[in-house]
Amino acid sequence: MTSAPPLRLPDALAALRNHLTAVPLGLATPDRDAARRSARAVADQIDDYLLPRLRDLDAPLLTVVGGSTGAGKSTLVNSLVGAPVTTAGVLRPTTRAPVLVCARADVGSFSGDRVLPGLARVTGGGGGPGTVQLVARDDVPAGLALLDAPDVDSVVESNRELAGQLLAAADLWVFVTTAARYADAVPWDLLRTAQERGTALAVVLDRVPPEAAAEVAADLHGMLQRAGLATARLFVIEERPLAEGRLPEDQVAPLRSWLHGLAADQEARAAVVRQTLTGALDSLEQRVTGVAVAVDAQAAAADALRSAATAAYDGAREGIDAGVRSGTLLRGEVLARWQEFVGTGEWMRALQNQVSRLRDRLVSAVTGRPTPVEGLQDALESSVEQLLRAEADRAAERTVTAWRGLPGGADLVAGGERELEQASPDFAEAAGAQVRDWQGAVLDLVRDQGADKRTQARLLSWGVNGAGAVVMVAVFASTGGLTGGEVAVAGGTTAVGQRVLEAVFGDAAVRSLAARAREDLESRADQLLRFEQERFDVLVAQAAPSRAHADDLRAALRDLAAARRAPA
């Protein structure tokens, strides 16, 4: 069996881009923001530079002129072209659209979506956000395009992001700094990025006092060498008066001559393209692996959050089980109703005479008061509901408390603590419905257990509701079944011996009834708690990636490496 052929390089890049854009990084883990920026930057560079350049290796050289605020980028572009093609910013920040200047013969290479497909093209004037102003000139040589980018350190975040995106789309960076700011952190962050990505680079040191030009240039050249950028071309522009808003010709001529030489020399231009293209491709493994590691961290954080919620709700299940088995529910109103039902002999007399049951029903019909059986069942319903609600509230509060101390958890519950720290608004209604359904199911069990004719006769004589009520009390009063013990309420109160139920059903059947009724109640409580925990699980699922996302990214990197090794 032969293996599938490797993907074509553009297809492998497109697949990698798709995986990057599909990764949800919603948990506020320490490396989340950096991973988001990296994933977006790689995806943008694939769309803006790698795919367009691979589709047309002979396209004009896109030279992006970037730098710090006030470094003189626009003035430099105007001086290189010899005309005011872009407006130098007086006010900061400059919020205009970037300007792309190219030869008329090359307009077709930039007017469509081949390069920077996410930015619309405008001509004849400045564009707004999300656009590129395209300027065609006869005095720009074919094979060269200049793009005046926003400030890399702009106070406007969208400008900074756009500047980074444009620099990543460049075949060649022309980075502009000044004698006063060439050692600033922001320029060197970007220069290090150029070094890491193998980008072809030229550095323009602007506004240099003539008397300090040699000294400052030597210092910057040494810094470039130490940063691994010894191959970067360095151009020094002395601080001189501007002529019609442009730099003196003798200051700008060396850079213009070098750029025009690249445009005229196809091999030199191709060498620049190869350097930047290869460097960008080489950088993908480290950058995407960093994103995959962040995805792993997010998945681990999600596991911890889910585990914390599971532990809290498992604790609620244990609390409900303890409350059911300990007999603590058989107090207060339940105790009073039980004493009314059993302690005064109502059910015992009903066992001896149907008249008593009929009398209860008649009294209830005339006075509107519930029978002792109904009163006991209502009290049990209320008591069980309170237990379920208390444990659900406690589990919600424990989950929120645990999440506040876990990576990514505090942000998930921020703004919704009050709702999340207690059971959901419709929990009480759902719990009441489940308890009532459980009581009905217990009565059904009693009826099914008394299906044979002899038992049925006793049951009809003594009352299904009465027997069912005793089974319900047995669920809460016994920790080991009825055998060997009694159905007791709060120690020392009147009790009904197990012989009463055994007289109707038999010993084994009584044990089965109590066990099945308890299991059914536990199952219903589990359903309610699962629904409650789902609120927290959904929050995690909506925000966090799975480990499969990291696996997909690593697989896409392997496919990319195979595509690069394959013959062109």
Side-chain angles (χ1 to χ4, degrees), residues 258-312:
W258 180 65
L259 291 173
H260 286 200
L262 290 176
D265 187 338
Q266 184 175 1
E267 290 188 6
R269 190 169 71 247
V272 171
V273 169
R274 281 196 303 272
Q275 176 184 340
T276 301
L277 181 60
T278 301
L281 289 170
D282 288 345
S283 74
L284 293 181
E285 181 173 3
Q286 181 179 0
R287 295 159 71 190
V288 175
T289 297
V291 176
V293 170
V295 171
D296 288 334
Q298 292 252 315
D303 288 343
L305 292 170
R306 280 189 286 262
S307 295
T310 298

Side-chain angles (χ1 to χ4, degrees), residues 13-370:
L13 285 168
L16 176 59
R17 182 268 322 278
N18 292 341
H19 287 304
L20 283 167
T21 56
V23 173
L25 291 165
L27 292 181
T29 51
D31 54 357
R32 188 266 306 271
D33 292 342
R36 277 181 171 176
R37 289 192 297 270
S38 184
R40 179 178 176 181
V42 172
D44 284 345
Q45 189 173 34
I46 290 173
D47 282 335
D48 295 340
Y49 177 67
L50 290 171
L51 290 176
R53 178 50 75 188
L54 285 170
R55 294 186 187 113
D56 189 355
L57 291 171
D58 296 324
L61 189 74
L62 179 58
T63 303
V64 174
V65 181
S68 304
T69 301
K73 302 181 297 298
S74 299
T75 299
L76 178 62
V77 171
N78 289 335
S79 302
L80 289 170
V81 176
V85 293
T86 179
T87 304
V90 177
L91 299 178
R92 305 297 174 192
T94 302
T95 55
R96 58 179 171 71
V99 178
L100 192 154
V101 187
C102 65
R104 294 190 186 278
D106 291 336
V107 167
S109 296
F110 300 104
S111 59
D113 60 358
R114 186 192 69 84
V115 177
L116 301 168
L119 300 175
R121 278 26 171 204
V122 295
T123 57
T131 67
V132 172
Q133 182 184 352
L134 186 60
V135 178
R137 299 284 301 184
D138 292 326
D139 44 13
V140 174
L144 175 68
L146 298 173
L147 195 154
D148 182 16
D151 302 333
V152 297
D153 57 354
S154 171
V155 296
V156 179
E157 183 179 3
S158 59
N159 278 1
R160 296 196 304 273
E161 292 176 350
L162 179 58
Q165 180 182 355
L166 296 176
L167 289 170
D171 293 306
L172 171 65
W173 284 12
V174 173
F175 194 83
V176 185
T177 187
T178 65
R181 300 191 60 185
Y182 69 87
D184 287 359
V186 171
W188 282 99
D189 286 342
L190 287 169
L191 291 172
R192 276 189 289 271
T193 298
Q195 190 273 333
E196 291 167 359
R197 299 181 187 178
T199 306
L201 175 69
V203 178
V204 174
L205 183 60
D206 196 9
R207 298 177 183 168
V208 182
E211 66 278 8
E215 180 182 357
V216 174
D219 185 47
L220 178 54
H221 183 71
M223 294 176 69
L224 291 170
Q225 283 187 319
R226 290 190 293 275
L229 293 167
T231 59
R233 297 291 296 265
L234 176 60
F235 297 90
V236 178
I237 296 178
E238 296 179 357
E239 190 168 22
R240 304 273 185 85
L242 301 181
E244 298 181 354
R246 297 195 291 274
L247 297 167
E249 179 61 23
D250 66 319
Q251 296 299 303
V252 76
L255 176 58
R256 183 195 297 122
S257 176
W258 180 65
L259 291 173
H260 286 200
L262 290 176
D265 187 338
Q266 184 175 1
E267 290 188 6
R269 190 169 71 247
V272 171
V273 169
R274 281 196 303 272
Q275 176 184 340
T276 301
L277 181 60
T278 301
L281 289 170
D282 288 345
S283 74
L284 293 181
E285 181 173 3
Q286 181 179 0
R287 295 159 71 190
V288 175
T289 297
V291 176
V293 170
V295 171
D296 288 334
Q298 292 252 315
D303 288 343
L305 292 170
R306 280 189 286 262
S307 295
T310 298
Y313 282 91
D314 283 348
R317 292 179 180 88
E318 293 172 0
I320 291 170
D321 183 66
V324 167
R325 294 178 179 272
S326 67
T328 55
L329 291 179
L330 303 181
R331 294 175 180 170
E333 184 68 15
V334 176
L335 176 58
R337 298 290 75 79
W338 172 253
Q339 289 173 329
E340 178 182 304
F341 175 59
V342 176
T344 58
E346 296 288 349
W347 193 52
M348 295 297 288
R349 288 197 298 273
L351 294 177
Q352 300 169 359
N353 193 336
Q354 281 184 287
V355 176
S356 179
R357 180 161 49 88
L358 179 59
R359 182 196 63 210
D360 285 341
R361 290 180 178 176
L362 289 173
V363 170
S364 177
V366 173
T367 65
R369 293 179 301 182

Side-chain angles (χ1 to χ4, degrees), residues 441-452:
V442 171
L443 297 183
D444 289 339
L445 285 174
V446 170
R447 291 189 188 95
D448 292 342
Q449 196 66 47
D452 66 274

Side-chain angles (χ1 to χ4, degrees), residues 381-398:
E381 177 184 336
S382 176
S383 185
V384 176
E385 283 182 35
Q386 290 174 12
L387 173 65
L388 294 174
R389 177 59 184 263
E391 290 299 334
D393 283 342
R394 190 173 294 113
E397 183 179 5
R398 287 173 176 171

